[in-house]
Amino acid sequence: MTMGDAHALKDKLLEAFNAHDLDRVLQCHSRDGVLVTPEGVAEGHDQIASFYEEVFKGFPDLRMTIWHTVSCADPAVTEWMLTGTHDGPLALPGGGVLDGTGRPVAVRGTSTCSVGNDKIITHRIYYDQLELYSQLGGELLFDDRSTSAAEGRPSPGD
């Protein structure tokens, strides 16, 4: 596959993502494709569909804007910004669910797509979960086992 073909497929995925068109998203992936995200690994169309359904449900107006494309044949690499409003349920790392907060988010990230037979075989998405969760009102807390507590150093704010 040429560089243009890989990026053309990634452009199709972007259009499908921004339209929240799950069928078109899946048409871009091979049946046994793998999606790797900070939340975990999805293998095959059923698991990939589940990931995107959750994202679209949590952020009904979510859009991705590409701001940089790396010139290489494979994988196709892009840097992007996700923007949207958290109006639906969002699964949290500990297994809980955060109900819609109504808060807007703007999250920077990058992704790579390895392509074969005109389909995405592996799609790796990287973004800072702390950036997302802090925009949703989350806080990073450390327990008493943190290094500063264990060494008797004062905690911030002491």
mmCIF file of all heavy atoms in Angstrom, residues 60-97:
data_model
loop_
_atom_site.group_PDB
_atom_site.id
_atom_site.type_symbol
_atom_site.label_atom_id
_atom_site.label_comp_id
_atom_site.label_asym_id
_atom_site.label_seq_id
_atom_site.Cartn_x
_atom_site.Cartn_y
_atom_site.Cartn_z
ATOM 1 N N PRO A 60 -21.807 13.192 22.238
ATOM 2 C CA PRO A 60 -22.602 13.158 21.013
ATOM 3 C C PRO A 60 -22.165 14.139 19.929
ATOM 4 O O PRO A 60 -22.508 13.954 18.768
ATOM 5 C CB PRO A 60 -24.024 13.495 21.494
ATOM 6 C CG PRO A 60 -24.012 13.320 22.964
ATOM 7 C CD PRO A 60 -22.607 13.470 23.425
ATOM 8 N N ASP A 61 -21.405 15.166 20.305
ATOM 9 C CA ASP A 61 -20.957 16.145 19.311
ATOM 10 C C ASP A 61 -19.441 16.067 19.080
ATOM 11 O O ASP A 61 -18.843 16.985 18.533
ATOM 12 C CB ASP A 61 -21.343 17.563 19.738
ATOM 13 C CG ASP A 61 -20.690 18.003 21.045
ATOM 14 O OD1 ASP A 61 -20.148 17.134 21.783
ATOM 15 O OD2 ASP A 61 -20.725 19.208 21.360
ATOM 16 N N LEU A 62 -18.835 14.968 19.447
ATOM 17 C CA LEU A 62 -17.380 14.816 19.363
ATOM 18 C C LEU A 62 -16.902 14.930 17.919
ATOM 19 O O LEU A 62 -17.477 14.340 17.014
ATOM 20 C CB LEU A 62 -16.963 13.456 19.930
ATOM 21 C CG LEU A 62 -15.467 13.250 20.166
ATOM 22 C CD1 LEU A 62 -14.949 14.217 21.222
ATOM 23 C CD2 LEU A 62 -15.204 11.817 20.595
ATOM 24 N N ARG A 63 -15.823 15.709 17.742
ATOM 25 C CA ARG A 63 -15.210 15.881 16.424
ATOM 26 C C ARG A 63 -13.704 15.824 16.568
ATOM 27 O O ARG A 63 -13.156 16.253 17.566
ATOM 28 C CB ARG A 63 -15.586 17.226 15.807
ATOM 29 C CG ARG A 63 -17.042 17.298 15.426
ATOM 30 C CD ARG A 63 -17.361 18.354 14.409
ATOM 31 N NE ARG A 63 -16.439 18.553 13.310
ATOM 32 C CZ ARG A 63 -16.433 17.872 12.174
ATOM 33 N NH1 ARG A 63 -17.298 16.907 11.978
ATOM 34 N NH2 ARG A 63 -15.586 18.152 11.214
ATOM 35 N N MET A 64 -13.071 15.315 15.536
ATOM 36 C CA MET A 64 -11.615 15.272 15.489
ATOM 37 C C MET A 64 -11.146 16.206 14.376
ATOM 38 O O MET A 64 -11.673 16.176 13.266
ATOM 39 C CB MET A 64 -11.125 13.852 15.202
ATOM 40 C CG MET A 64 -9.615 13.741 15.113
ATOM 41 S SD MET A 64 -9.073 12.049 14.736
ATOM 42 C CE MET A 64 -9.401 11.259 16.302
ATOM 43 N N THR A 65 -10.159 17.017 14.716
ATOM 44 C CA THR A 65 -9.546 17.902 13.742
ATOM 45 C C THR A 65 -8.078 17.523 13.625
ATOM 46 O O THR A 65 -7.351 17.529 14.626
ATOM 47 C CB THR A 65 -9.674 19.375 14.182
ATOM 48 O OG1 THR A 65 -11.050 19.682 14.368
ATOM 49 C CG2 THR A 65 -9.064 20.306 13.153
ATOM 50 N N ILE A 66 -7.646 17.171 12.432
ATOM 51 C CA ILE A 66 -6.253 16.815 12.188
ATOM 52 C C ILE A 66 -5.458 18.106 12.036
ATOM 53 O O ILE A 66 -5.845 18.983 11.270
ATOM 54 C CB ILE A 66 -6.105 15.967 10.898
ATOM 55 C CG1 ILE A 66 -6.977 14.714 10.964
ATOM 56 C CG2 ILE A 66 -4.639 15.636 10.630
ATOM 57 C CD1 ILE A 66 -6.614 13.718 12.015
ATOM 58 N N TRP A 67 -4.345 18.215 12.771
ATOM 59 C CA TRP A 67 -3.519 19.407 12.604
ATOM 60 C C TRP A 67 -2.116 19.079 12.115
ATOM 61 O O TRP A 67 -1.349 19.986 11.784
ATOM 62 C CB TRP A 67 -3.511 20.267 13.852
ATOM 63 C CG TRP A 67 -3.122 19.599 15.128
ATOM 64 C CD1 TRP A 67 -3.935 18.900 15.968
ATOM 65 C CD2 TRP A 67 -1.832 19.569 15.719
ATOM 66 N NE1 TRP A 67 -3.217 18.425 17.040
ATOM 67 C CE2 TRP A 67 -1.918 18.845 16.921
ATOM 68 C CE3 TRP A 67 -0.591 20.100 15.356
ATOM 69 C CZ2 TRP A 67 -0.833 18.620 17.744
ATOM 70 C CZ3 TRP A 67 0.483 19.879 16.202
ATOM 71 C CH2 TRP A 67 0.347 19.152 17.370
ATOM 72 N N HIS A 68 -1.779 17.790 12.019
ATOM 73 C CA HIS A 68 -0.476 17.431 11.455
ATOM 74 C C HIS A 68 -0.527 15.986 10.965
ATOM 75 O O HIS A 68 -1.035 15.111 11.656
ATOM 76 C CB HIS A 68 0.632 17.584 12.499
ATOM 77 C CG HIS A 68 2.001 17.279 11.978
ATOM 78 N ND1 HIS A 68 2.647 18.081 11.068
ATOM 79 C CD2 HIS A 68 2.844 16.254 12.223
ATOM 80 C CE1 HIS A 68 3.827 17.560 10.789
ATOM 81 N NE2 HIS A 68 3.968 16.460 11.470
ATOM 82 N N THR A 69 -0.016 15.770 9.767
ATOM 83 C CA THR A 69 0.104 14.433 9.204
ATOM 84 C C THR A 69 1.571 14.171 8.925
ATOM 85 O O THR A 69 2.242 14.999 8.310
ATOM 86 C CB THR A 69 -0.702 14.320 7.893
ATOM 87 O OG1 THR A 69 -2.079 14.580 8.183
ATOM 88 C CG2 THR A 69 -0.579 12.942 7.286
ATOM 89 N N VAL A 70 2.072 13.045 9.407
ATOM 90 C CA VAL A 70 3.469 12.679 9.194
ATOM 91 C C VAL A 70 3.591 11.990 7.841
ATOM 92 O O VAL A 70 2.795 11.108 7.511
ATOM 93 C CB VAL A 70 3.962 11.742 10.327
ATOM 94 C CG1 VAL A 70 5.400 11.304 10.082
ATOM 95 C CG2 VAL A 70 3.830 12.435 11.684
ATOM 96 N N SER A 71 4.577 12.395 7.075
ATOM 97 C CA SER A 71 4.791 11.816 5.741
ATOM 98 C C SER A 71 5.582 10.521 5.841
ATOM 99 O O SER A 71 6.807 10.533 5.907
ATOM 100 C CB SER A 71 5.533 12.814 4.852
ATOM 101 O OG SER A 71 4.749 13.956 4.655
ATOM 102 N N CYS A 72 4.870 9.413 5.905
ATOM 103 C CA CYS A 72 5.477 8.083 5.870
ATOM 104 C C CYS A 72 4.430 7.130 5.295
ATOM 105 O O CYS A 72 3.242 7.408 5.357
ATOM 106 C CB CYS A 72 5.960 7.632 7.249
ATOM 107 S SG CYS A 72 4.688 7.521 8.501
ATOM 108 N N ALA A 73 4.904 6.030 4.732
ATOM 109 C CA ALA A 73 3.984 5.112 4.060
ATOM 110 C C ALA A 73 3.135 4.321 5.044
ATOM 111 O O ALA A 73 1.923 4.257 4.927
ATOM 112 C CB ALA A 73 4.757 4.164 3.154
ATOM 113 N N ASP A 74 3.756 3.667 6.003
ATOM 114 C CA ASP A 74 3.017 2.838 6.954
ATOM 115 C C ASP A 74 3.842 2.737 8.224
ATOM 116 O O ASP A 74 5.019 2.390 8.145
ATOM 117 C CB ASP A 74 2.794 1.449 6.363
ATOM 118 C CG ASP A 74 1.736 0.659 7.134
ATOM 119 O OD1 ASP A 74 1.930 0.401 8.324
ATOM 120 O OD2 ASP A 74 0.729 0.318 6.518
ATOM 121 N N PRO A 75 3.290 3.099 9.345
ATOM 122 C CA PRO A 75 1.876 3.426 9.553
ATOM 123 C C PRO A 75 1.565 4.867 9.157
ATOM 124 O O PRO A 75 2.458 5.702 9.120
ATOM 125 C CB PRO A 75 1.713 3.230 11.060
ATOM 126 C CG PRO A 75 3.046 3.564 11.641
ATOM 127 C CD PRO A 75 4.047 3.099 10.612
ATOM 128 N N ALA A 76 0.301 5.121 8.892
ATOM 129 C CA ALA A 76 -0.175 6.484 8.667
ATOM 130 C C ALA A 76 -0.272 7.136 10.048
ATOM 131 O O ALA A 76 -0.896 6.582 10.951
ATOM 132 C CB ALA A 76 -1.532 6.467 7.973
ATOM 133 N N VAL A 77 0.362 8.283 10.217
ATOM 134 C CA VAL A 77 0.446 8.928 11.533
ATOM 135 C C VAL A 77 -0.164 10.321 11.451
ATOM 136 O O VAL A 77 0.140 11.084 10.532
ATOM 137 C CB VAL A 77 1.918 9.046 11.994
ATOM 138 C CG1 VAL A 77 2.009 9.742 13.345
ATOM 139 C CG2 VAL A 77 2.581 7.679 12.045
ATOM 140 N N THR A 78 -1.033 10.634 12.419
ATOM 141 C CA THR A 78 -1.616 11.975 12.494
ATOM 142 C C THR A 78 -1.604 12.461 13.933
ATOM 143 O O THR A 78 -1.641 11.666 14.880
ATOM 144 C CB THR A 78 -3.068 12.002 11.989
ATOM 145 O OG1 THR A 78 -3.830 11.030 12.698
ATOM 146 C CG2 THR A 78 -3.154 11.736 10.509
ATOM 147 N N GLU A 79 -1.541 13.780 14.068
ATOM 148 C CA GLU A 79 -1.755 14.435 15.358
ATOM 149 C C GLU A 79 -3.066 15.192 15.224
ATOM 150 O O GLU A 79 -3.366 15.738 14.158
ATOM 151 C CB GLU A 79 -0.604 15.382 15.680
ATOM 152 C CG GLU A 79 0.703 14.650 15.916
ATOM 153 C CD GLU A 79 1.840 15.602 16.202
ATOM 154 O OE1 GLU A 79 2.280 16.262 15.237
ATOM 155 O OE2 GLU A 79 2.263 15.687 17.357
ATOM 156 N N TRP A 80 -3.826 15.250 16.298
ATOM 157 C CA TRP A 80 -5.174 15.777 16.203
ATOM 158 C C TRP A 80 -5.639 16.421 17.498
ATOM 159 O O TRP A 80 -4.981 16.329 18.536
ATOM 160 C CB TRP A 80 -6.154 14.689 15.800
ATOM 161 C CG TRP A 80 -5.922 13.342 16.453
ATOM 162 C CD1 TRP A 80 -5.307 12.264 15.872
ATOM 163 C CD2 TRP A 80 -6.271 12.923 17.778
ATOM 164 N NE1 TRP A 80 -5.271 11.212 16.751
ATOM 165 C CE2 TRP A 80 -5.846 11.585 17.935
ATOM 166 C CE3 TRP A 80 -6.888 13.546 18.858
ATOM 167 C CZ2 TRP A 80 -6.039 10.865 19.121
ATOM 168 C CZ3 TRP A 80 -7.070 12.827 20.043
ATOM 169 C CH2 TRP A 80 -6.651 11.505 20.152
ATOM 170 N N MET A 81 -6.804 17.036 17.412
ATOM 171 C CA MET A 81 -7.501 17.610 18.565
ATOM 172 C C MET A 81 -8.923 17.080 18.542
ATOM 173 O O MET A 81 -9.599 17.131 17.508
ATOM 174 C CB MET A 81 -7.521 19.132 18.470
ATOM 175 C CG MET A 81 -8.315 19.816 19.559
ATOM 176 S SD MET A 81 -7.495 19.850 21.158
ATOM 177 C CE MET A 81 -6.233 21.056 20.873
ATOM 178 N N LEU A 82 -9.348 16.516 19.674
ATOM 179 C CA LEU A 82 -10.743 16.100 19.844
ATOM 180 C C LEU A 82 -11.463 17.202 20.605
ATOM 181 O O LEU A 82 -10.959 17.684 21.623
ATOM 182 C CB LEU A 82 -10.838 14.826 20.680
ATOM 183 C CG LEU A 82 -10.569 13.495 20.019
ATOM 184 C CD1 LEU A 82 -10.667 12.373 21.047
ATOM 185 C CD2 LEU A 82 -11.523 13.238 18.871
ATOM 186 N N THR A 83 -12.621 17.597 20.130
ATOM 187 C CA THR A 83 -13.443 18.559 20.843
ATOM 188 C C THR A 83 -14.862 18.027 20.918
ATOM 189 O O THR A 83 -15.335 17.357 19.994
ATOM 190 C CB THR A 83 -13.443 19.941 20.140
ATOM 191 O OG1 THR A 83 -13.845 19.771 18.781
ATOM 192 C CG2 THR A 83 -12.061 20.590 20.193
ATOM 193 N N GLY A 84 -15.514 18.310 22.013
ATOM 194 C CA GLY A 84 -16.888 17.863 22.181
ATOM 195 C C GLY A 84 -17.398 18.213 23.562
ATOM 196 O O GLY A 84 -16.696 18.817 24.373
ATOM 197 N N THR A 85 -18.626 17.811 23.819
ATOM 198 C CA THR A 85 -19.283 18.067 25.097
ATOM 199 C C THR A 85 -19.661 16.736 25.724
ATOM 200 O O THR A 85 -20.269 15.885 25.073
ATOM 201 C CB THR A 85 -20.547 18.922 24.888
ATOM 202 O OG1 THR A 85 -20.192 20.073 24.102
ATOM 203 C CG2 THR A 85 -21.132 19.360 26.227
ATOM 204 N N HIS A 86 -19.317 16.582 26.985
ATOM 205 C CA HIS A 86 -19.619 15.340 27.704
ATOM 206 C C HIS A 86 -21.077 15.367 28.156
ATOM 207 O O HIS A 86 -21.399 15.872 29.226
ATOM 208 C CB HIS A 86 -18.670 15.190 28.905
ATOM 209 C CG HIS A 86 -18.946 13.979 29.710
ATOM 210 N ND1 HIS A 86 -19.042 14.011 31.080
ATOM 211 C CD2 HIS A 86 -19.161 12.693 29.341
ATOM 212 C CE1 HIS A 86 -19.302 12.791 31.526
ATOM 213 N NE2 HIS A 86 -19.375 11.981 30.485
ATOM 214 N N ASP A 87 -21.969 14.817 27.340
ATOM 215 C CA ASP A 87 -23.403 14.828 27.636
ATOM 216 C C ASP A 87 -23.973 13.443 27.919
ATOM 217 O O ASP A 87 -25.166 13.310 28.168
ATOM 218 C CB ASP A 87 -24.177 15.447 26.466
ATOM 219 C CG ASP A 87 -24.071 16.964 26.452
ATOM 220 O OD1 ASP A 87 -23.870 17.566 27.527
ATOM 221 O OD2 ASP A 87 -24.185 17.553 25.355
ATOM 222 N N GLY A 88 -23.142 12.417 27.874
ATOM 223 C CA GLY A 88 -23.632 11.057 28.108
ATOM 224 C C GLY A 88 -22.696 10.296 29.009
ATOM 225 O O GLY A 88 -21.690 10.832 29.485
ATOM 226 N N PRO A 89 -22.999 9.043 29.284
ATOM 227 C CA PRO A 89 -22.184 8.242 30.199
ATOM 228 C C PRO A 89 -20.786 7.977 29.631
ATOM 229 O O PRO A 89 -20.614 7.801 28.428
ATOM 230 C CB PRO A 89 -22.969 6.939 30.340
ATOM 231 C CG PRO A 89 -23.807 6.858 29.103
ATOM 232 C CD PRO A 89 -24.103 8.274 28.708
ATOM 233 N N LEU A 90 -19.800 7.975 30.529
ATOM 234 C CA LEU A 90 -18.416 7.699 30.156
ATOM 235 C C LEU A 90 -17.861 6.659 31.120
ATOM 236 O O LEU A 90 -17.871 6.868 32.339
ATOM 237 C CB LEU A 90 -17.573 8.976 30.232
ATOM 238 C CG LEU A 90 -16.078 8.825 29.960
ATOM 239 C CD1 LEU A 90 -15.844 8.428 28.500
ATOM 240 C CD2 LEU A 90 -15.347 10.115 30.289
ATOM 241 N N ALA A 91 -17.400 5.545 30.578
ATOM 242 C CA ALA A 91 -16.791 4.509 31.419
ATOM 243 C C ALA A 91 -15.467 5.017 31.972
ATOM 244 O O ALA A 91 -14.664 5.600 31.239
ATOM 245 C CB ALA A 91 -16.579 3.235 30.603
ATOM 246 N N LEU A 92 -15.244 4.783 33.256
ATOM 247 C CA LEU A 92 -14.021 5.219 33.928
ATOM 248 C C LEU A 92 -13.087 4.028 34.130
ATOM 249 O O LEU A 92 -13.536 2.874 34.158
ATOM 250 C CB LEU A 92 -14.368 5.858 35.272
ATOM 251 C CG LEU A 92 -15.196 7.142 35.172
ATOM 252 C CD1 LEU A 92 -15.638 7.599 36.553
ATOM 253 C CD2 LEU A 92 -14.404 8.231 34.465
ATOM 254 N N PRO A 93 -11.787 4.290 34.303
ATOM 255 C CA PRO A 93 -10.812 3.198 34.433
ATOM 256 C C PRO A 93 -11.118 2.206 35.548
ATOM 257 O O PRO A 93 -10.877 1.026 35.398
ATOM 258 C CB PRO A 93 -9.496 3.927 34.700
ATOM 259 C CG PRO A 93 -9.684 5.286 34.152
ATOM 260 C CD PRO A 93 -11.145 5.590 34.305
ATOM 261 N N GLY A 94 -11.660 2.643 36.670
ATOM 262 C CA GLY A 94 -11.934 1.750 37.788
ATOM 263 C C GLY A 94 -13.200 0.930 37.630
ATOM 264 O O GLY A 94 -13.574 0.170 38.517
ATOM 265 N N GLY A 95 -13.889 1.085 36.490
ATOM 266 C CA GLY A 95 -15.109 0.326 36.262
ATOM 267 C C GLY A 95 -16.368 1.131 36.485
ATOM 268 O O GLY A 95 -17.458 0.683 36.150
ATOM 269 N N GLY A 96 -16.255 2.333 37.045
ATOM 270 C CA GLY A 96 -17.417 3.178 37.259
ATOM 271 C C GLY A 96 -17.832 3.878 35.974
ATOM 272 O O GLY A 96 -17.191 3.742 34.935
ATOM 273 N N VAL A 97 -18.909 4.641 36.080
ATOM 274 C CA VAL A 97 -19.413 5.402 34.941
ATOM 275 C C VAL A 97 -19.640 6.831 35.402
ATOM 276 O O VAL A 97 -20.248 7.068 36.448
ATOM 277 C CB VAL A 97 -20.741 4.800 34.406
ATOM 278 C CG1 VAL A 97 -21.335 5.679 33.321
ATOM 279 C CG2 VAL A 97 -20.506 3.393 33.894
#
